[in-house]
Amino acid sequence: MYEAIYTPQASAQYPQYTPAEVRLRFGAPGQYEFALQDHLQAQSTVACQSPVAQGSCVPEGIVANVVPFDADHAVVAPPPHATGCAAIEAASEQDRLSQSRNATEVIPERFVFDTDSSALAPEATSTASAVAKRMQADPTLECVGLVGQIAPGESASLAEARAHGVKELLVSMGVDRGRLLTIAVTANVYGPGAKPQTDEPNTRRVSLSVLLKTAAPATPVR
């Protein structure tokens, strides 16, 4: 079910009167969802009228001249093709995503942080440069996860902040934002009586994980 909202524009002929918006609902079977979207988008602007009630000079209400959707004559449109990290949640890409889970691609670079800090280290620029060059040279790395982690005792928000900082650095180096997905992983929490966890420097980091890898196009055989 979709709701289309049409907002009347002010008229030079009647500048003191602008009718209220018109809300129309449209429904169609699931296989016609994208055809219905195209139908409504093609009518983003329509003419309207305000008929006067019989025996009165008062308008009955505004009417938008929207052509009804006819499912019997609609073409079943294929779902839009999602690319990059948007494909992770797209229903139309789940088969491709399942095939990608078998990929063994590894990106070894890591970004290490100081205690209680999300500031990028000086060497982060060179590390990001290597990652950016690899992603630009390999378009099959369609979606890469930036996994932000924290050490025991650090604020949980640092995990996302660290991943976000690395993402913005890679974007500044030319990596398409749509190919990067930030993931926050917080430290384990133990119950009362557990021994205090010691600081683990190797967990104050952002690692990279290939979430979606597209199969390389086949090389034609001559």
Side-chain angles (χ1 to χ4, degrees):
M1 180 68 69
Y2 286 86
E3 183 178 60
I5 303 175
Y6 291 92
T7 304
Q9 303 300 303
S11 170
Q13 187 176 2
Y14 303 102
Q16 297 180 343
Y17 173 68
T18 299
E21 64 185 18
V22 179
R23 294 174 177 263
L24 302 174
R25 290 192 172 186
F26 299 84
Q31 65 267 34
Y32 298 107
E33 178 182 0
F34 299 108
L36 176 56
Q37 290 180 5
D38 293 340
H39 177 79
L40 295 177
Q41 289 174 358
Q43 301 185 85
S44 58
T45 302
V46 298
C48 62
Q49 56 185 342
S50 184
V52 176
Q54 187 175 3
S56 172
C57 60
V58 179
E60 289 185 327
I62 192 72
V63 176
N65 297 330
V66 181
V67 178
F69 179 72
D70 184 1
D72 293 334
H73 297 88
V75 177
V76 178
H81 176 59
T83 60
C85 295
I88 299 294
E89 297 183 357
S92 60
E93 307 298 325
Q94 292 309 300
D95 288 343
R96 190 160 63 90
L97 188 60
S98 296
Q99 296 173 2
S100 178
R101 291 194 180 101
N102 297 324
T104 57
E105 192 82 18
V106 175
I107 300 179
E109 285 79 8
R110 299 287 185 271
F111 297 83
V112 181
F113 295 81
D114 289 334
T115 304
D116 295 324
S117 174
S118 62
L120 294 167
E123 62 271 18
T125 300
S126 60
T127 303
S129 178
V131 174
K133 288 178 180 178
R134 179 174 180 179
M135 292 190 67
Q136 290 166 347
D138 187 359
T140 67
L141 296 176
E142 195 167 338
C143 180
V144 172
L146 305 175
V147 186
Q149 296 177 255
I150 58 174
E154 290 189 309
S155 171
S157 63
L158 278 174
E160 175 62 30
R162 287 167 175 168
H164 180 75
V166 172
K167 178 178 181 178
E168 293 304 314
L169 179 58
L170 290 171
V171 170
S172 72
M173 293 183 174
V175 178
D176 185 348
R177 185 181 297 275
R179 296 173 66 191
L180 302 170
L181 182 67
T182 58
I183 301 172
V185 178
T186 56
N188 293 327
V189 177
Y190 296 89
K195 294 182 179 179
Q197 295 173 273
T198 58
D199 185 26
E200 301 175 15
N202 63 320
T203 62
R204 299 195 304 267
R205 69 183 187 189
V206 171
S207 55
L208 290 85
S209 174
V210 178
L211 303 179
L212 179 58
K213 180 175 174 61
T214 305
T219 303
V221 178
R222 296 183 178 179

